[in-house]
mmCIF file of all heavy atoms in Angstrom:
data_model
loop_
_atom_site.group_PDB
_atom_site.id
_atom_site.type_symbol
_atom_site.label_atom_id
_atom_site.label_comp_id
_atom_site.label_asym_id
_atom_site.label_seq_id
_atom_site.Cartn_x
_atom_site.Cartn_y
_atom_site.Cartn_z
ATOM 1 N N LEU E 304 -9.337 -6.048 -3.507
ATOM 2 C CA LEU E 304 -8.415 -5.009 -3.074
ATOM 3 C C LEU E 304 -8.268 -3.991 -4.188
ATOM 4 O O LEU E 304 -8.104 -4.361 -5.349
ATOM 5 C CB LEU E 304 -7.049 -5.626 -2.745
ATOM 6 C CG LEU E 304 -6.018 -4.693 -2.130
ATOM 7 C CD1 LEU E 304 -6.444 -4.260 -0.734
ATOM 8 C CD2 LEU E 304 -4.659 -5.377 -2.055
ATOM 9 N N SER E 305 -8.362 -2.718 -3.824
ATOM 10 C CA SER E 305 -8.171 -1.636 -4.791
ATOM 11 C C SER E 305 -7.035 -0.740 -4.328
ATOM 12 O O SER E 305 -6.918 -0.438 -3.139
ATOM 13 C CB SER E 305 -9.427 -0.777 -4.913
ATOM 14 O OG SER E 305 -10.480 -1.521 -5.472
ATOM 15 N N VAL E 306 -6.210 -0.344 -5.291
ATOM 16 C CA VAL E 306 -5.202 0.687 -5.057
ATOM 17 C C VAL E 306 -5.670 1.898 -5.855
ATOM 18 O O VAL E 306 -5.853 1.808 -7.071
ATOM 19 C CB VAL E 306 -3.802 0.239 -5.507
ATOM 20 C CG1 VAL E 306 -2.788 1.348 -5.281
ATOM 21 C CG2 VAL E 306 -3.377 -1.033 -4.776
ATOM 22 N N ILE E 307 -5.920 2.993 -5.155
ATOM 23 C CA ILE E 307 -6.453 4.202 -5.784
ATOM 24 C C ILE E 307 -5.402 5.298 -5.677
ATOM 25 O O ILE E 307 -5.003 5.677 -4.572
ATOM 26 C CB ILE E 307 -7.769 4.653 -5.116
ATOM 27 C CG1 ILE E 307 -8.806 3.527 -5.176
ATOM 28 C CG2 ILE E 307 -8.310 5.901 -5.798
ATOM 29 C CD1 ILE E 307 -9.077 2.891 -3.856
ATOM 30 N N PHE E 308 -4.949 5.782 -6.830
ATOM 31 C CA PHE E 308 -3.911 6.806 -6.859
ATOM 32 C C PHE E 308 -4.539 8.185 -6.838
ATOM 33 O O PHE E 308 -5.539 8.444 -7.511
ATOM 34 C CB PHE E 308 -3.027 6.630 -8.099
ATOM 35 C CG PHE E 308 -2.325 5.311 -8.105
ATOM 36 C CD1 PHE E 308 -2.732 4.293 -8.946
ATOM 37 C CD2 PHE E 308 -1.269 5.068 -7.227
ATOM 38 C CE1 PHE E 308 -2.097 3.055 -8.935
ATOM 39 C CE2 PHE E 308 -0.631 3.844 -7.204
ATOM 40 C CZ PHE E 308 -1.048 2.831 -8.060
ATOM 41 N N CYS E 309 -3.941 9.081 -6.051
ATOM 42 C CA CYS E 309 -4.482 10.421 -5.897
ATOM 43 C C CYS E 309 -3.357 11.414 -5.613
ATOM 44 O O CYS E 309 -2.195 11.035 -5.507
ATOM 45 C CB CYS E 309 -5.528 10.433 -4.782
ATOM 46 S SG CYS E 309 -4.911 9.881 -3.175
ATOM 47 N N THR E 310 -3.743 12.681 -5.477
ATOM 48 C CA THR E 310 -2.801 13.750 -5.153
ATOM 49 C C THR E 310 -2.711 13.935 -3.640
ATOM 50 O O THR E 310 -3.539 13.406 -2.882
ATOM 51 C CB THR E 310 -3.263 15.086 -5.763
ATOM 52 O OG1 THR E 310 -4.538 15.404 -5.191
ATOM 53 C CG2 THR E 310 -3.361 15.014 -7.279
ATOM 54 N N ASP E 311 -1.725 14.712 -3.214
ATOM 55 C CA ASP E 311 -1.597 15.086 -1.806
ATOM 56 C C ASP E 311 -2.877 15.726 -1.281
ATOM 57 O O ASP E 311 -3.330 15.414 -0.185
ATOM 58 C CB ASP E 311 -0.457 16.104 -1.639
ATOM 59 C CG ASP E 311 0.857 15.441 -1.248
ATOM 60 O OD1 ASP E 311 0.870 14.233 -0.944
ATOM 61 O OD2 ASP E 311 1.872 16.161 -1.250
ATOM 62 N N GLU E 312 -3.436 16.646 -2.066
ATOM 63 C CA GLU E 312 -4.615 17.391 -1.597
ATOM 64 C C GLU E 312 -5.815 16.469 -1.392
ATOM 65 O O GLU E 312 -6.559 16.616 -0.424
ATOM 66 C CB GLU E 312 -4.966 18.520 -2.572
ATOM 67 C CG GLU E 312 -3.905 19.621 -2.652
ATOM 68 C CD GLU E 312 -3.490 20.169 -1.286
ATOM 69 O OE1 GLU E 312 -4.371 20.415 -0.434
ATOM 70 O OE2 GLU E 312 -2.272 20.344 -1.062
ATOM 71 N N TYR E 313 -6.002 15.529 -2.301
ATOM 72 C CA TYR E 313 -7.106 14.568 -2.205
ATOM 73 C C TYR E 313 -6.961 13.736 -0.924
ATOM 74 O O TYR E 313 -7.925 13.569 -0.165
ATOM 75 C CB TYR E 313 -7.087 13.662 -3.440
ATOM 76 C CG TYR E 313 -8.277 12.744 -3.567
ATOM 77 C CD1 TYR E 313 -9.379 13.115 -4.331
ATOM 78 C CD2 TYR E 313 -8.292 11.493 -2.956
ATOM 79 C CE1 TYR E 313 -10.471 12.270 -4.468
ATOM 80 C CE2 TYR E 313 -9.377 10.644 -3.084
ATOM 81 C CZ TYR E 313 -10.466 11.034 -3.844
ATOM 82 O OH TYR E 313 -11.548 10.196 -3.974
ATOM 83 N N LEU E 314 -5.747 13.240 -0.685
ATOM 84 C CA LEU E 314 -5.532 12.388 0.487
ATOM 85 C C LEU E 314 -5.574 13.197 1.780
ATOM 86 O O LEU E 314 -6.050 12.693 2.799
ATOM 87 C CB LEU E 314 -4.215 11.618 0.363
ATOM 88 C CG LEU E 314 -4.173 10.284 1.106
ATOM 89 C CD1 LEU E 314 -5.326 9.370 0.705
ATOM 90 C CD2 LEU E 314 -2.853 9.580 0.902
ATOM 91 N N LEU E 315 -5.118 14.447 1.739
ATOM 92 C CA LEU E 315 -5.221 15.318 2.916
ATOM 93 C C LEU E 315 -6.684 15.488 3.311
ATOM 94 O O LEU E 315 -7.034 15.362 4.489
ATOM 95 C CB LEU E 315 -4.583 16.682 2.641
ATOM 96 C CG LEU E 315 -4.727 17.723 3.754
ATOM 97 C CD1 LEU E 315 -4.060 17.258 5.048
ATOM 98 C CD2 LEU E 315 -4.165 19.067 3.308
ATOM 99 N N LYS E 316 -7.545 15.718 2.331
ATOM 100 C CA LYS E 316 -8.968 15.890 2.618
ATOM 101 C C LYS E 316 -9.557 14.607 3.208
ATOM 102 O O LYS E 316 -10.334 14.648 4.166
ATOM 103 C CB LYS E 316 -9.731 16.320 1.364
ATOM 104 C CG LYS E 316 -11.231 16.490 1.593
ATOM 105 C CD LYS E 316 -11.809 17.641 0.821
ATOM 106 C CE LYS E 316 -13.294 17.840 1.044
ATOM 107 N NZ LYS E 316 -13.737 17.720 2.449
ATOM 108 N N MET E 317 -9.169 13.468 2.668
ATOM 109 C CA MET E 317 -9.639 12.187 3.225
ATOM 110 C C MET E 317 -9.140 12.009 4.654
ATOM 111 O O MET E 317 -9.878 11.530 5.521
ATOM 112 C CB MET E 317 -9.153 11.016 2.367
ATOM 113 C CG MET E 317 -9.849 10.912 1.046
ATOM 114 S SD MET E 317 -9.435 9.376 0.223
ATOM 115 C CE MET E 317 -10.491 8.258 1.130
#
Side-chain angles (χ1 to χ4, degrees):
L304 187 67
S305 294
V306 179
I307 303 109
F308 299 106
C309 58
T310 61
D311 265 351
E312 294 309 316
Y313 188 95
L314 208 55
L315 175 61
K316 179 143 181 43
M317 288 190 78

